[in-house]
Amino acid sequence: MVSHPPAVLILPTGHMKMITYKLVFITRPGKDDAWTETEYSCKDLKLYNGVIYALGCYGKVCVLKGLDGSSLPTMQSVISLDNYEEGSVLLIEMSSDLLKVVQISSYVGRFKTQCFKVFKLDLGESKWVEVEYLGNIVLFVCLSYSFSLMASNFPGCKGNYIYFFSHDDKGIFNLEDGTVETIYQSNAHCGYQLH
């Protein structure tokens, strides 16, 4: 018998600056075709150690439970609102850790990344602990999907760096010294170059 695990998505609703993100799910993909919308508003989802974590407004992180279809799912808070950080926040899995990555930008005609803050989830203490060194790990922060890799497995990548790509804001952030190298699209060559 083939198992059909539930599928969970975040869908944008609204328009322009009033966009919110609603959590929707389907209990048996491939068998059912009806998506169920929940009342929960989330910015990001991450499957970590077999559990779905949802990032809500103001940095609140919840565990998503009850996706078996017998009832509507529930969200159980694991981190309070006291850990809120200004900036664009997302979740990334790094080996055995769940990270909260905060991208802090300024706006002068366009968004430009100033720096990043990285935090590791301490489930025992129910708090975020700031991480200042990633070792051989490199983070990729993108609009559609963010992830971590071992830098030594990919020539040219540098450990303890964050590569970010969003619209016209592209660059490499050095977590050790807090500097940003801008990546710009060259008119003369295909691809991107460091500036």
Side-chain angles (χ1 to χ4, degrees):
M1 181 175 179
V2 178
S3 173
H4 294 272
V8 187
L9 294 175
I10 303 172
L11 293 181
T13 60
H15 61 283
M16 302 299 286
K17 295 183 180 180
M18 298 301 292
I19 290 178
T20 58
Y21 297 88
K22 286 293 183 183
L23 184 71
V24 298
F25 73 100
I26 188 169
T27 55
R28 296 184 303 169
K31 288 204 161 220
D32 298 331
D33 56 6
W35 289 87
T36 302
E37 183 176 322
T38 71
E39 62 186 25
Y40 305 117
S41 178
C42 302
K43 291 182 175 181
D44 198 8
L45 290 174
K46 189 61 62 179
L47 181 64
Y48 170 67
N49 286 344
V51 177
I52 297 175
Y53 287 84
L55 177 68
C57 298
Y58 307 110
K60 184 176 183 178
V61 176
C62 298
V63 172
L64 182 60
K65 296 185 175 182
L67 287 170
D68 56 7
S70 58
S71 62
L72 288 177
T74 60
M75 299 277 245
Q76 178 183 343
S77 177
V78 293
I79 296 291
S80 73
L81 301 182
D82 297 337
N83 302 94
Y84 177 61
E85 293 286 338
E86 289 286 347
S88 177
V89 184
L90 55 98
L91 300 175
I92 297 180
E93 185 178 359
M94 182 188 77
S95 36
S96 61
D97 292 316
L98 183 64
L99 302 179
K100 176 176 75 169
V101 179
V102 183
Q103 185 174 7
I104 300 168
S105 303
S106 61
Y107 185 81
V108 182
R110 67 178 182 92
F111 283 103
K112 184 174 181 180
T113 297
Q114 300 299 308
C115 66
F116 283 85
K117 289 186 179 181
V118 179
F119 300 85
K120 178 174 68 173
L121 179 60
D122 183 337
L123 279 172
E125 296 290 327
S126 189
K127 67 178 183 180
W128 292 108
V129 178
E130 187 163 6
V131 175
E132 297 179 347
Y133 183 68
L134 297 173
N136 188 36
I137 299 294
V138 57
L139 303 181
F140 287 85
V141 174
C142 310
L143 279 175
S144 57
Y145 185 68
S146 298
F147 55 93
S148 66
L149 294 172
M150 296 283 287
S152 56
N153 292 339
F154 296 89
C157 286
K158 303 174 185 177
N160 208 37
Y161 279 70
I162 300 173
Y163 292 73
F164 58 94
F165 309 88
S166 59
H167 297 302
D168 58 351
D169 186 22
K170 303 169 181 68
I172 305 171
F173 178 73
N174 183 334
L175 193 58
E176 183 175 357
D177 63 16
T179 58
V180 175
E181 293 178 77
T182 302
I183 298 175
Y184 69 95
Q185 191 165 9
S186 170
N187 292 329
H189 303 90
C190 294
Y192 296 95
Q193 298 180 351
L194 290 178
H195 175 64

